[in-house]
Amino acid sequence: QLCGSRRACDAMLEAGAASPLAAMLLSSSAGGTEVVSALLDCLAALSESGLAQAQRAVRNVGAVPHLIQLMNHPESRVARVATSLVSTLCPGDVHNAEQLFESGGLVLLADSLASRDERAQLQAASALSQLSSDPVQAAAIVDNGCLLPLLGLLEHTNQELKAYAAITFGNLCTGGCLSPAQLQHPTVLPHLVAMLSSSNALAKGPAATAIASMAADPTLRSSLYELGGLPGLAALLNSDAETSYHAVQAIAQFAADERYRHLLPEAGAVPPLAALLPSHLPHVQQCALSAVANLSFVHGAVGPLCASGALTHVGQMLFSPDARVQSMCLTTLCNLLHGSAGSAEALLQVGGHMALLTQLSSPSPDVQSQAAMALGHMCRSRSAVHALVQADAVPLLAQLLHSPHPAVQLQAVYALGVLAAEDEAAANAVQLAGAVAPLTTLLLSSSSPDVKRHLTLTLAHAARGNWRPVFNVGGFQALLDVLAVGTGAVQQDVSATIAALVEDVHQRRALLADMNSISAIVGLLSSPDEGTQQHAASALAALAEEASARETLYRLGTLSHIIRSLSAANSRAKDAPGADAPAASAARISMVRVVAAFAADPRYCDMLRITIQPLVAMVAQAGTKGVLPHAARALTSLSHSEPNRDALREAGAQRRMAELLLHAESGVQASAVQCVANLGVDATDAKAFMDAGWHLALIQLLSAPAVEVQGAAAAVLGNLSAVPEFRVALMADGALRPILELLQAAELPARTAATRALAIMSQQLMSPELAQDDPNAKLFVDSFFEANALPSLLQVLSDEPAANVDAHTSERQVVAILLLLQNLSAGNGLVRPRLVAGGAVEGLLRFLSHRADASRAEILDTAVSTLALLMLSASGLLRLEQGGGIPVLVKLLRSASPAAVAPAARAAGNLLREDPPPALVAAVAPALLHALGRTSAASSLDVLYALTNLFGVCPAALAGEAAGKVAAGLVRVSQEPEHEEALHAAVSLMSLLALQPHFRKALHDAGAVPALRPLAAGGWRGPSLLLGMLTAEAHLAANGRPQAQPAAHPAALPPPPRPLPHHPPAYALHADPHQAPPSPARTAGDASSSACLPPPPYATSPVAAYGHLGGGGGGPLYGASG
């Protein structure tokens, strides 16, 4: 009853009642239940009033074991109070606690925890919560089976009971009394995981502690995840310092595991982890940093981390002296900046970029590499680029390119590339820092395509289209390495640089040293990028200018590739005129340049016949301004080959190129005129040229800077001038003077073409059909002599050909000069005196003296024929004698070449037309007889002409022994009646000879009668009459009766009857207008002298004559047909 009052309890404690009351328990075992109950109530009341006194009293009397026994008392009221006393008196007192453990009291407490009596559970949990604060007792509690009941109470509805259970569990965890095996037991682990998310706040900390110790084991992490522990741990990151300490430790383990790292953002761990980064607790901070560093590898976590301010905190932590912290910070920054470049601004605000720059000088290659990578990621922000450039980051990064560590070099390459890509000023800074040279060196030395690709991108950003610095360091090989791995845009820029470089002949030849280089450029023709195709074609066009390159390009199949591409481009242009993109149009121009270069090479010219149609189409198409010059040049080159000319004409190239004569570009005009000259024009083209005004362009081109253009224009004009109307137009438009001026050109082809043009024009202008006072003929002759052209032409005939000139062209020049002189010497004969006075005779004699033996028959015939015409001039003989020409003439007459004998005989006949000097007669008579004996009937006409004139002016020259030779020669000619002109000449001369007995006898002795009889039998009246004279002479000798018959004049000889088709020609002597008329006084040979034969007629067709002279020795100079 006293214990019912607190004041009474205090008084009793002061009086020392606790000890006797506790001692009574030892003797109350035999007592009744009520006594025991009363004792327990008294002790409970006293312990509430003075716990220490009660504990001491119980300890002193050793009452704990008895209290433990009473916990199993059958009377629940006794057992409950006893349990309460044990729970109150044992905790906090070492001796009592030991007695509790030794007496098995913990087992009874465990039973109480497992009972359904909430009050007993509360008492037991309360006792254990206090007992567990002692590590020794805590271990005993675990050993005596209290763990599982405690875990079951952690989620009890009674908050007090739940709190005691949590305190006990926490003490057990803190004291390290729970072994891993116990914690990992299937009966324990689910409870631990559940505690993380329970409403029992006191239990979460201990649970986190336990789980933190288990999270380091991969197997346990898997179990914890499967039990749903990750969200609970993430939630605990925001708890008190102690709980969050263990939670972040566990989360750091999960973040280090790739299996669960990506799940942390979903679990909500990112914001609280970022919040723990600035923690003042080093361990918490490091665990949070570790977790954040690992989380930064998760793409889905980058955004939340940056949004939660992790970048700022990590940037500040980068200044830490701890190398491990720096390493984790660098990793985190690399990953976060890579995933969120826009977050670099936050790093700039805390000076993180300066810390990164400091790390570039670290002795650790790994740190340098990570710092460079982080800076590269930062540079994707323009504000960061500006800040880094101002902080002199570029030189530091450039210095890392020289590092011996490839990883450092690669990250420096990346950082410089990103920095240069974002800003032109930064790109300039990269170049100024000297980074191009080491970058190029690394490009050349690396064998990894990936590394080359990174280097190429960096160089591309730094170069910004200007790849010359790269070329200056690594040459073409560096550019080709870039082409091999570069993107389409890079390939376009690099190919443009290569195209520009190879325009320089020295660079071009340097590139040709490597076949692989050419192959790489050829491969770009297949690029899907039109710009790259354009530049590749442009480079190949420049390379094709080199002969050695063309051979290489041909072996690589470039020519066929170009032809196919060109055909496709032409088709597109035809289907949609003007629709080509600029790059496609430029590529087309370059491809035509390639074709033009190959066409100019004789090795490939004939292979390009397939390109004729496309090229002609390009010339004809509108809008081909850029293509036109090269297409025209290609066609001109193709026209140099004879096999291509027919295909060119069939494709309409002649007219298309003629139309280009009016083009505004001089280069196109030059190509056009040369092509037209090579393809050839004739009289049928003259009207078209006049109607279109092309002849005016040709006249202008006579003054072109290029001699080959001048020569081509002269050749075309010369061929067309065979038409009188065209020739008149040329003369009226002033074409003559430019042609004459070309005779003084430095280049042999131009002089040759001009001479040929004059020769063709002169054929018509000097024709006998024209009136003597024809103004055009007079203008031509006067202009020719005013231009002082004759001396230069004669000089060509006199000089030996130079060793360094083309022999074929030189020969054609000689042919043209001789033809021109021959035409001027013919006609009405008005020009001969001026030619003779100008030294034409001497010039021809020098030519015949020095070059006759080496000349072709046509050239020799023309030269001697011209000399023969000049001998019709009054002063011709004098010039011949002064020039020592008689021996030359005799030598020609005795020549074995019919081409020399016939015109030489004609020259002799012209000299013998009047009273010749005896020395001339004495020199030429034997030579003529020799020529008659050796010359065939077909070639004897000129010899007979000369002998007839000789007999007319000096019959005695053929008397005596010469008579037999003449007779024999005449008989031989008469035996070949198919040569009518020679036959008529022979019969005429025999008729003259038959007038004198001495010659008649010679004719008889030579067999003239038998030779004439078949002719007479065939119906020839002349031979028949001559036969009568010869046989009458024989009859007179037999009968002695003179029966003289009048001699028949050759002009009066009747023509032969049909069926022979041709009448014998009547010959008339062309008098020289400058020569005095012959004296009327004649000798006995007057009758015969009137029958002297003139020179045989010459072809009047200029085309035929020009074609005959120019046709030998490889054809005309510009391919003209005549």
Side-chain angles (χ1 to χ4, degrees):
Q1 292 178 0
L2 286 174
C3 287
S5 167
R6 178 64 178 269
R7 184 176 181 182
C9 287
D10 291 340
M12 289 178 69
L13 288 172
E14 292 178 2
S19 293
L21 286 173
M24 289 180 67
L25 289 175
L26 300 178
S27 59
S28 64
S29 56
T33 301
E34 293 200 9
V35 175
V36 173
S37 177
L39 286 172
L40 292 175
D41 289 339
C42 288
L43 288 173
L46 291 175
S47 63
E48 289 179 2
S49 179
L51 179 60
Q53 293 91 331
Q55 288 177 330
R56 185 170 54 254
V58 170
R59 179 178 65 249
N60 291 336
V61 299
V64 173
H66 298 283
L67 288 174
I68 292 173
Q69 291 177 2
L70 292 176
M71 290 174 64
N72 287 327
H73 197 277
E75 184 64 39
S76 59
R77 184 171 64 84
V78 174
R80 182 172 60 252
V81 178
T83 301
S84 176
L85 283 171
V86 170
S87 301
T88 303
L89 298 176
C90 290
D93 188 294
V94 176
H95 180 73
N96 292 339
E98 289 177 356
Q99 286 191 339
L100 174 66
F101 171 73
E102 293 172 358
S103 302
L106 293 178
V107 176
L108 296 178
L109 289 176
D111 292 341
S112 299
L113 292 175
S115 70
R116 295 188 176 183
D117 185 351
E118 186 173 316
R119 186 173 180 181
Q121 290 175 327
L122 182 61
Q123 291 174 346
S126 175
L128 291 176
S129 67
Q130 297 183 58
L131 291 171
S132 61
S133 61
D134 184 352
V136 177
Q137 299 299 329
I141 291 171
V142 174
D143 293 341
N144 285 275
C146 297
L147 180 59
L148 286 178
L150 278 172
L151 293 176
L153 296 176
L154 289 174
E155 294 300 322
H156 200 278
T157 56
N158 187 318
Q159 295 299 322
E160 187 179 4
L161 180 58
K162 184 166 63 174
Y164 284 135
I167 292 171
T168 305
F169 179 72
N171 290 335
L172 295 178
C173 292
T174 304
C177 302
L178 298 175
S179 66
Q182 291 172 321
L183 291 173
Q184 298 163 18
H185 196 277
T187 59
V188 176
L189 194 56
H191 291 288
L192 290 175
V193 173
M195 272 188 266
L196 297 175
S197 304
S198 71
S199 57
N200 188 349
L202 295 175
K204 291 180 179 180
T209 302
I211 289 178
S213 64
M214 291 187 286
D217 188 306
T219 304
L220 292 178
R221 278 199 300 276
S222 177
S223 300
L224 291 171
Y225 170 74
E226 291 172 358
L227 292 171
L230 203 53
L233 286 171
L236 292 180
L237 293 174
N238 291 322
S239 300
D240 58 273
E242 186 68 20
T243 303
S244 62
Y245 169 84
H246 296 291
V248 74
Q249 186 176 3
I251 289 293
Q253 297 293 342
F254 275 96
D257 194 329
E258 293 183 356
R259 296 175 298 170
Y260 309 110
R261 185 182 299 160
H262 64 284
L263 301 172
L264 291 176
E266 298 177 5
V270 172
L273 281 174
L276 290 176
L277 289 173
S279 173
H280 64 282
L281 299 174
H283 184 71
V284 172
Q285 189 182 51
Q286 290 187 12
C287 288
L289 179 59
S290 172
V292 168
N294 286 318
L295 269 177
S296 66
F297 288 100
V298 179
H299 180 72
V302 172
L305 282 171
C306 293
S308 61
L311 202 60
T312 302
H313 299 312
V314 173
Q316 292 172 333
M317 294 174 70
L318 190 58
F319 291 97
S320 170
D322 190 335
R324 186 169 177 274
V325 172
Q326 290 179 354
S327 177
M328 288 191 291
C329 287
L330 287 172
T331 300
T332 306
L333 290 176
C334 287
N335 293 335
L336 294 183
L337 291 171
H338 178 263
S340 178
S343 302
E345 186 67 31
L347 188 61
L348 291 174
Q349 292 176 357
V350 297
H353 63 296
M354 299 304 297
L356 287 173
L357 293 178
T358 303
Q359 298 298 327
L360 292 179
S361 302
S362 170
S364 169
D366 292 337
V367 172
Q368 289 179 331
S369 175
Q370 286 186 311
M373 182 190 297
L375 288 171
H377 295 330
M378 277 190 75
C379 289
R380 291 185 296 166
S381 167
R382 186 169 293 273
S383 58
V385 170
H386 293 161
L388 289 172
V389 171
Q390 292 176 358
D392 291 333
V394 176
L396 293 173
L397 290 170
Q399 187 63 32
L400 292 183
L401 296 174
H402 301 282
S403 171
H405 304 284
V408 177
Q409 292 176 338
L410 188 59
Q411 295 307 326
V413 168
Y414 165 71
L416 288 170
V418 178
L419 187 144
E422 295 297 328
D423 187 78
E424 185 173 357
N428 293 334
V430 171
Q431 294 192 33
L432 291 174
V436 172
L439 286 171
T440 306
T441 303
L442 290 173
L443 176 71
L444 293 172
S445 61
S446 176
S447 60
S448 169
D450 289 337
V451 174
K452 283 184 178 289
R453 193 171 294 110
H454 287 302
L455 288 161
T456 294
L457 288 175
T458 299
L459 284 170
H461 295 319
R464 290 187 170 263
N466 178 21
W467 289 87
R468 282 296 185 101
V470 177
F471 171 77
N472 293 337
V473 176
F476 281 108
Q477 186 57 53
L479 298 182
L480 294 172
D481 283 359
V482 171
L483 283 178
V485 298
T487 62
V490 171
Q491 286 183 335
Q492 181 173 345
D493 288 341
V494 174
S495 59
T497 300
I498 292 177
L501 285 169
V502 296
E503 292 294 340
D504 184 308
V505 62
H506 302 292
Q507 304 293 1
R508 187 159 64 229
R509 290 173 182 171
L511 179 62
L512 291 176
D514 184 7
M515 174 80 76
N516 294 330
S517 303
I518 310 299
S519 178
I521 298 175
V522 172
L524 294 178
L525 291 174
S526 303
S527 171
D529 183 78
E530 291 184 347
T532 302
Q533 292 179 13
Q534 168 206 340
H535 299 313
S538 178
L540 293 175
L543 288 172
E545 300 295 330
E546 299 291 331
S548 58
R550 289 193 288 272
E551 183 177 351
T552 302
L553 292 173
Y554 180 77
R555 288 201 303 268
L556 292 173
T558 308
L559 191 56
S560 57
H561 189 115
I562 288 288
I563 291 173
R564 289 194 301 271
S565 301
L566 190 58
S567 299
N570 264 355
S571 300
R572 291 192 298 270
K574 184 177 180 181
D575 296 339
D580 275 355
S585 178
R588 188 179 178 210
I589 293 172
S590 297
M591 287 188 285
V592 178
R593 283 182 61 196
V594 175
V595 172
F598 273 92
D601 192 325
R603 296 174 296 175
Y604 311 105
C605 183
D606 292 342
M607 302 178 186
L608 293 170
R609 200 168 304 162
I610 191 174
T611 64
I612 289 176
Q613 289 284 358
L615 289 171
V616 174
M618 288 181 200
V619 171
Q621 286 175 1
T624 57
K625 182 177 179 181
V627 175
L628 185 57
H630 307 295
R633 183 163 63 93
L635 289 172
T636 300
S637 298
L638 291 172
S639 69
H640 285 298
S641 173
E642 182 65 37
N644 291 333
R645 289 175 184 165
D646 287 339
L648 286 165
R649 294 185 187 104
E650 291 174 4
Q654 189 171 29
R655 178 169 183 82
R656 296 301 182 190
M657 295 300 281
E659 291 172 350
L660 295 181
L661 292 172
L662 301 178
H663 199 272
E665 294 185 30
S666 59
V668 175
Q669 284 184 315
S671 298
V673 69
Q674 292 180 78
C675 184
V676 171
N678 290 337
L679 295 179
V681 292
D682 54 31
T684 59
D685 299 313
K687 186 176 185 306
F689 272 72
M690 292 179 62
D691 293 344
W694 299 334
H695 66 296
L696 299 176
L698 289 170
I699 294 172
Q700 293 178 347
L701 290 172
L702 291 172
S703 303
V707 291
E708 61 271 13
V709 176
Q710 298 172 352
V716 176
L717 289 173
N719 288 338
L720 295 174
S721 64
V723 178
E725 294 80 2
F726 190 89
R727 187 172 58 254
V728 171
L730 285 185
M731 302 291 287
D733 291 326
L736 182 58
R737 182 159 298 280
I739 295 177
L740 288 169
E741 291 174 353
L742 280 182
L743 294 176
Q744 310 301 327
E747 299 295 330
L748 176 61
R751 297 196 302 270
T752 302
T755 308
R756 291 185 61 196
L758 293 171
I760 296 175
M761 295 173 69
S762 67
Q763 279 183 311
Q764 297 301 321
L765 291 171
M766 297 294 105
S767 172
E769 299 175 1
L770 292 180
Q772 292 189 8
D773 57 350
D774 182 82
N776 287 327
K778 184 176 185 306
L779 176 61
F780 181 87
V781 174
D782 291 343
S783 299
F784 177 81
F785 284 99
E786 288 173 5
N788 200 27
L790 184 59
S792 61
L793 297 179
L794 295 176
Q795 188 65 39
V796 174
L797 296 179
S798 301
D799 296 340
E800 290 289 337
N804 59 343
V805 300
D806 180 57
H808 185 54
T809 306
S810 177
E811 182 181 88
R812 282 184 287 186
Q813 183 189 26
V814 171
V815 171
I817 292 173
L818 293 174
L819 178 60
L820 175 59
L821 294 176
Q822 184 183 42
N823 293 335
L824 291 173
S825 303
N828 294 312
L830 299 177
V831 189
R832 291 176 198 145
R834 301 178 72 173
L835 290 173
V836 173
V841 174
E842 291 84 346
L844 289 169
L845 288 175
R846 286 193 293 271
F847 174 79
L848 293 171
S849 298
H850 299 101
R851 301 173 64 178
D853 296 338
S855 300
R856 290 187 292 110
E858 294 87 344
I859 297 175
L860 191 59
D861 177 80
T862 307
V864 184
S865 296
T866 305
L867 183 65
L869 289 171
L870 293 177
M871 292 303 101
L872 292 172
S873 174
S875 55
L877 176 58
L878 178 61
R879 290 288 186 139
L880 184 72
E881 290 176 333
Q882 291 175 348
I886 293 179
V888 176
L889 188 60
V890 171
K891 181 181 178 181
L892 293 171
L893 288 171
R894 292 182 177 276
S895 172
S897 171
V901 173
R906 191 158 61 249
N910 291 341
L911 289 171
L912 295 170
R913 68 187 183 277
E914 292 185 4
D915 297 332
L920 175 64
V921 174
V924 300
L928 288 172
L929 293 174
H930 178 272
L932 181 63
R934 296 185 49 149
T935 306
S936 65
S939 305
S940 63
L941 180 60
D942 294 294
V943 178
L944 293 174
Y945 161 70
L947 288 171
T948 301
N949 289 358
L950 177 62
F951 182 74
V953 297
C954 186
L958 298 181
E961 220 178 279
K965 294 180 180 180
V966 173
L970 292 173
V971 169
R972 183 171 56 82
V973 173
S974 65
Q975 289 174 338
E976 298 183 23
E978 63 271 14
H979 304 291
E980 293 184 15
E981 290 187 356
L983 178 60
H984 281 290
V987 171
S988 297
L989 182 54
M990 282 193 287
S991 299
L992 294 175
L993 293 174
L995 294 176
Q996 299 184 24
H998 176 68
F999 291 108
R1000 283 200 300 275
K1001 182 178 184 305
L1003 289 172
H1004 274 288
D1005 294 344
V1009 173
L1012 292 172
R1013 279 177 178 161
L1015 297 174
W1020 286 74
R1021 289 288 291 158
S1024 178
L1025 294 174
L1026 178 59
L1027 186 59
M1029 292 176 63
L1030 295 175
T1031 54
E1033 178 71 20
H1035 179 71
L1036 175 64
N1039 299 322
R1041 298 194 300 267
Q1043 297 181 0
Q1045 298 179 5
H1049 193 284
L1053 291 176
R1058 297 183 182 279
L1060 293 177
H1062 299 292
H1063 295 271
Y1067 296 94
L1069 181 63
H1070 292 283
D1072 189 338
H1074 297 276
Q1075 177 180 316
S1079 172
R1082 281 296 181 184
T1083 62
D1086 280 348
S1088 63
S1089 66
S1090 64
C1092 292
L1093 298 178
Y1098 298 97
T1100 59
S1101 168
V1103 175
Y1106 189 74
H1108 172 68
L1109 284 177
L1117 175 63
Y1118 287 96
S1121 57

